[in-house]
Amino acid sequence: MPDRIMTCSAALAEALHEEMTRDETIFILGEDLTAHAGVFGQFKGIPENFPGRIIDTPISEAGIVGV
């Protein structure tokens, strides 16, 4: 297979899709994953393909900094 050139976001999106298809127990928690497809668009199409397995968490900078 020839080498492919792709962005990190595209590679992550492809890997997430492959693994979530393979293993139905995988789910993802994070901020703006369904509303904005992640910061770099790496979750584009994934919430639609895996409903209920991509969960947006509340945005809480104070909580993130505290952790």
Side-chain angles (χ1 to χ4, degrees), residues 12-22 45-46 49-50:
L12 179 58
E14 184 176 305
L16 287 170
H17 196 281
E18 286 177 8
E19 288 305 304
M20 290 185 79
T21 299
R22 185 187 65 78
I46 293 178
N49 290 324
F50 304 99

Side-chain angles (χ1 to χ4, degrees), residues 31 58-67:
E31 298 173 357
I59 295 176
S60 175
E61 283 77 8
I64 293 169
V65 171
V67 170

Side-chain angles (χ1 to χ4, degrees), residues 1 8 17 22-23 27 34-36 39 42 48 50 53:
M1 177 178 195
C8 289
H17 196 281
R22 185 187 65 78
D23 184 351
F27 67 96
T34 60
H36 302 290
V39 176
Q42 68 272 34
E48 295 81 15
F50 304 99
R53 293 173 56 193

Side-chain angles (χ1 to χ4, degrees), residues 23-47:
D23 184 351
E24 64 184 36
T25 65
I26 295 173
F27 67 96
I28 301 171
L29 302 171
E31 298 173 357
D32 289 333
L33 303 181
T34 60
H36 302 290
V39 176
F40 301 107
Q42 68 272 34
F43 292 93
K44 187 175 183 177
I46 293 178

